[in-house]
């Protein structure tokens, strides 16, 4: 069994250790953090989420964050663990956290695509999708970030940034929301939808803070607010280690993609929906060395905290 004292947040961890870590964290801080079953993966593994916040009689605001929608983006999963550690370590002493934790409940999914993550450890480091068999067993895996019911595969016409070919890296699946992992996230968000102020989905790589939409170049109703909040977060992030993260809508600064979770959240009128693309810029890409875990997590914790400060005052 792992011990929390010696848990090394500056390393990547296999899924077995992450499951043990989730147990340990909640045993230790059960007043503030609990973990719950969210759903099953295709290969029958449990997907869990944490709820973090002080109990309250009032209706609390909700922030949802997921990591590891894509199997090979290990730094995203390391970030979710780091962020949870930071909340627990600083819940009393931080300038804003004590207040945030009484106003906001966090729902954090450290690893959504558990099957894919395991596969990228055991078989193919650069695996991206989940592991459900497709096309009568001719291929494996759906890109979960193309599987959401938001212009899914652009509703049958031109597939923008998504593919109907099951061997493609961006295969959108047989239907919107077809995958168990997608359904698990959808169920959590739908349960809390009226109270969710922000949805953050953590990916790598490229160093971006992306705003909706990916499916076309239209701006959200609150595009200026989204931009301001992200620009401020990116500015504070840069102060820490000098890294530049580009802010802009996914379709404009990166590429168009239909069916992403962040667009789906924005369609549901969740005001602050962002996709984070962590380090790096392409030198190591998805295989970010462990030496960069700490600095990447530090700078992005600052960015998320900056957003939380805004959310808390809203
Ligand atoms: N990038 C995201 C992807 O799903 C993205 C980029 C997200 C584009 C949201 C548009 C909207 O392709 C990675 N690295 O997965
Ligand atoms: Zn990704």
């Amino acid at each position: 069994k792992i011990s929390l004292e010696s848990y090394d947040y500056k390393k990547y961890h296999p899924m077995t250790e992450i499951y043990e870590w989730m147990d340990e964290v909640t045993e230790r801080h059960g007043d503030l953090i609990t973990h719950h079953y969210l759903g099953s993966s295709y290969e029958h593994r449990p997907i869990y989420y944490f709820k973090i916040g002080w109990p309250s009689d009032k209706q609390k605001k909700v922030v949802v964050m997921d990591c590891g929608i894509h199997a090979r983006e290990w730094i995203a999963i390391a970030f979710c663990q780091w962020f949870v550690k930071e909340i627990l370590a600083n819940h009393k002493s931080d300038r804003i956290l004590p207040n945030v934790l009484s106003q906001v409940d966090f729902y954090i999914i450290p690893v959504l695509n558990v099957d894919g993550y395991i596969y990228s450890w055991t078989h193919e480091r650069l695996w991206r999708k989940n592991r459900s068999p497709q096309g009568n067993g001719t291929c494996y895996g759906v890109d979960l970030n193309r599987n959401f019911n938001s212009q899914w595969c652009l509703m049958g016409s031109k597939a923008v940034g998504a593919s109907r070919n099951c061997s493609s890296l961006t295969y959108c699946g047989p239907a919107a929301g077809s995958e168990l992992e997608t359904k698990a996230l959808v169920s959590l968000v739908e349960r809390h939808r009226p109270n969710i102020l922000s949805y953050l989905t953590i990916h790598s790589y490229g160093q971006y803070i992306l705003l909706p939409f990916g499916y076309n170049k239209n701006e959200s109703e609150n595009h200026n607010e989204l931009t301001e909040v992200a620009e401020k977060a990116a500015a504070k992030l840069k102060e820490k280690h000098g890294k530049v993260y580009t802010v802009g809508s996914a379709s404009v600064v990166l590429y168009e993609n239909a069916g992403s979770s962040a667009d789906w959240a924005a369609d549901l009128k969740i005001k602050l929906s962002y996709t984070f693309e962590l380090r790096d810029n392409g030198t190591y890409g998805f295989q970010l060395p462990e030496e960069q875990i700490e600095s990447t997590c530090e700078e992005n914790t600052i960015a998320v905290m900056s957003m939380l400060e805004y959310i808390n005052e809203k």
Side-chain angles (χ1 to χ4, degrees):
K1 245 211 145 68
I2 60 141
S3 104
L4 264 196
E5 277 69 39
S6 61
Y7 196 78
D8 192 347
Y9 291 92
K10 300 173 196 172
K11 282 199 163 6
Y12 298 119
H13 290 271
M15 198 59 220
T16 49
E17 290 177 15
I18 298 176
Y19 278 133
E20 288 183 16
W21 169 80
M22 288 192 226
D23 286 341
E24 288 295 309
V25 166
T26 46
E27 256 170 50
R28 187 69 55 87
H29 302 275
D31 46 344
L32 183 60
I33 177 169
T34 50
H35 84 301
H36 307 268
Y37 178 79
L38 184 61
S40 171
S41 70
Y42 179 81
E43 292 172 341
H44 308 295
R45 294 187 181 91
I47 303 167
Y48 294 113
Y49 67 95
F50 290 118
K51 178 181 183 189
I52 312 178
W54 296 119
S56 164
D57 300 331
K58 299 178 298 177
Q59 190 59 257
K60 292 179 77 179
K61 306 168 190 173
V62 170
V63 172
V64 174
M65 179 161 98
D66 64 60
C67 295
I69 282 189
H70 288 138
R72 62 191 176 185
E73 299 168 10
W74 291 10
I75 183 61
I77 291 164
F79 176 70
C80 255
Q81 295 172 83
W82 184 281
F83 188 72
V84 168
K85 163 191 75 99
E86 285 293 302
I87 294 181
L88 297 178
N90 303 319
H91 71 278
K92 290 211 181 87
S93 56
D94 187 75
R95 182 173 57 87
I96 63 163
L97 262 182
N99 187 259
V100 168
L101 290 166
S102 60
Q103 314 261 9
V104 175
D105 281 330
F106 293 97
Y107 290 89
I108 298 181
I109 307 164
V111 189
L112 186 72
N113 180 8
V114 290
D115 297 345
Y117 184 57
I118 290 172
Y119 194 79
S120 95
W121 273 79
T122 57
H123 289 80
E124 201 178 315
R125 175 65 184 82
L126 293 180
W127 190 259
R128 167 177 168 97
K129 303 186 281 181
N130 75 349
R131 289 295 302 163
S132 64
Q134 300 294 329
N136 295 318
T138 55
C139 357
Y140 283 87
V142 168
D143 182 347
L144 298 175
N145 211 29
R146 302 292 180 278
N147 190 236
F148 286 79
N149 189 13
S150 168
Q151 303 294 317
W152 174 80
C153 251
L154 265 186
M155 299 304 191
S157 57
K158 166 165 84 94
V160 165
S163 171
R164 289 175 179 277
N165 177 343
C166 70
S167 64
S168 165
L169 272 179
T170 54
Y171 176 48
C172 59
S178 58
E179 302 309 291
L180 287 177
E181 297 83 358
T182 310
K183 288 188 172 108
L185 180 57
V186 165
S187 72
L188 179 73
V189 170
E190 285 186 341
R191 268 201 306 281
H192 298 284
R193 199 203 59 77
N195 304 315
I196 302 177
L197 282 188
S198 178
Y199 169 72
L200 306 176
T201 181
I202 314 297
H203 291 253
S204 72
Y205 61 94
Q207 298 176 197
Y208 294 98
I209 301 177
L210 301 172
L211 348 164
F213 290 94
Y215 59 63
N216 65 24
K217 296 200 163 71
N218 294 356
E219 294 186 350
S220 334
E221 285 163 34
N222 64 331
H223 183 81
N224 292 342
E225 178 191 32
L226 276 163
T227 305
E228 273 171 38
V229 171
E231 292 279 12
K232 187 161 184 197
K236 289 189 181 166
L237 181 160
K238 182 165 179 265
E239 282 172 22
K240 186 72 185 175
H241 298 294
K243 295 295 178 192
V244 175
Y245 282 56
T246 305
V247 172
S249 90
S251 53
V252 173
V253 301
L254 206 46
Y255 44 78
E256 288 188 47
N257 80 333
S260 74
S261 67
D263 280 1
W264 172 76
D267 286 349
L268 291 178
K269 306 287 178 214
I270 292 170
K271 284 275 183 229
L272 300 166
S273 174
Y274 293 105
T275 302
F276 277 71
E277 295 282 356
L278 308 184
R279 293 192 200 176
D280 59 9
N281 262 331
T283 309
Y284 296 102
F286 299 110
Q287 287 157 292
L288 189 73
E290 288 182 328
E291 296 81 67
Q292 293 195 43
I293 294 177
E294 179 176 30
S295 47
T296 305
C297 292
E298 281 175 350
E299 67 198 10
N300 284 285
T301 299
I302 291 169
V304 173
M305 287 300 201
S306 159
M307 291 180 171
L308 286 174
E309 193 165 3
Y310 178 79
I311 290 163
N312 204 36
E313 281 159 13
K314 244 177 108 98

